[in-house]
Amino acid sequence: MTGARRVTLAVPNKGRLVGPTLDLLHDAGLVFEERDRSLVAHVENVPIDILFVRTGDVVEFVRDHVADVGVTGADLLVEAGVSLPVVRRLGYGRCRLTAAVPKDSALTCLGDLGGLRVATAHPNSVRAWSASSGIRVEVVPLSGAVEVAPRFGLADAIVDLVSSGETLAANGLREVGDLLASEAVLVRSPGVTDAPGDAIDALSTMLGAVLEGRRRKYLMMNARADRLADLEALLPGLSGPSVIPLAHAGMIAIHAVVGADDVWGLLPRLKAAGASGILVVPIEKLIA
Ligand code: AMP
């Protein structure tokens, strides 16, 4: 590892993307100390330095080649008006940029917003949407308390980032449509030509392996050999289950990888089909 330039990875230092990002990096096997997230963490086992910056600044750090790669929200790329190569979508930080109106408003869809005032903390994203959809709106930029703008006559509608939409409903607002969907993404700097591509590829592969592993479980069970066909029908696995003869004649062990969301429905059916000693084991990493 000596001699190779170290990769600089920019990640958010505050806010809702921090926890899942640090969990993902640790789960991928990067060994580093956070030390109250002071600026830089040196990864001990891989040639990567982690740069902790404000969520909103990650895009600029990567665009300006201060960092080779970065973790940010896809929505923040749009808001910054910066297009960077997305190395991998990370599946967390999912949210929608959605338009909402007061519950008693007559407006029902995005098209109804034409010509109206829209309050938002994401003015560039709304302008970009307006330009691409052809629905002209008057953007009222606000930095906070966007939900109350219609109540105070500042705007006819709002556009905000939501995940469940509960906050909007709690503020007497009704959704009329989404402008974009977002999740956390790993982006890379287009201008860095001396970055060790192998290290970036390895980082992306390992993050993907963790995300894939989290979506699956490893099932192990014992059964009588004559129940194999019934059990196999329930267990597609990655390339079919592994079947291992046990010391007791006529008994087998079956191992299979299944979707984490399927486990709840599968276990009672496996038991009914003759499986016993069923173990559900987490998968640390999976490369299919
Ligand atoms: P922060 O303001 O640092 O907590 O991070 C905001 C980022 O988190 C946004 O730009 C999105 O990428 C992401 N995010 C995920 N869910 C939500 C949500 N419900 N509201 C706002 N941001 C969200």
Side-chain angles (χ1 to χ4, degrees), residues 1 11 27 49 69 98 110 142 144 160 164 189 201 205 238 255:
M1 301 255 170
V11 303
D27 288 353
D49 290 321
V69 275
T98 198
L110 291 177
L142 294 178
D160 207 0
S164 67
S189 177
D201 289 347
T205 301
L238 275 183
H255 294 190

Side-chain angles (χ1 to χ4, degrees), residues 5-10 47-51 62 66-70:
R5 182 168 86 67
R6 295 173 68 82
V7 168
T8 307
L9 165 66
I48 292 178
D49 290 321
I50 301 173
L51 209 53
V62 177
V66 179
D68 300 306
V69 275

Side-chain angles (χ1 to χ4, degrees), residues 166-286:
E166 277 170 27
T167 313
L168 292 180
N171 280 286
L173 297 166
R174 170 168 51 78
E175 292 185 30
V176 290
D178 292 341
L179 281 60
L180 66 86
S182 177
E183 67 184 284
V185 288
L186 179 71
V187 288
R188 81 178 279 165
S189 177
V192 174
T193 49
D194 64 336
D198 289 356
I200 295 176
D201 289 347
L203 173 67
S204 171
T205 301
M206 293 300 267
L207 298 187
V210 172
L211 298 171
E212 278 300 311
R214 286 179 185 169
R215 281 197 275 273
R216 318 278 173 82
K217 296 286 179 198
Y218 193 70
L219 288 192
M220 300 192 274
M221 70 209 77
N222 296 339
R224 286 202 335 248
D226 60 4
R227 308 304 299 267
L228 176 59
D230 289 347
L231 290 165
E232 213 173 3
L234 297 171
L235 292 169
L238 275 183
S239 47
S242 308
V243 180
I244 305 143
L246 292 180
H248 288 285
M251 290 296 290
I252 50 172
I254 304 173
H255 294 190
V257 174
V258 300
D261 293 341
D262 299 332
V263 169
W264 180 269
L266 257 179
L267 292 198
R269 294 163 72 203
L270 291 169
K271 187 166 180 283
S276 62
I278 306 172
L279 295 183
V280 182
V281 182
I283 297 175
E284 188 183 295
K285 295 185 183 69
L286 189 153

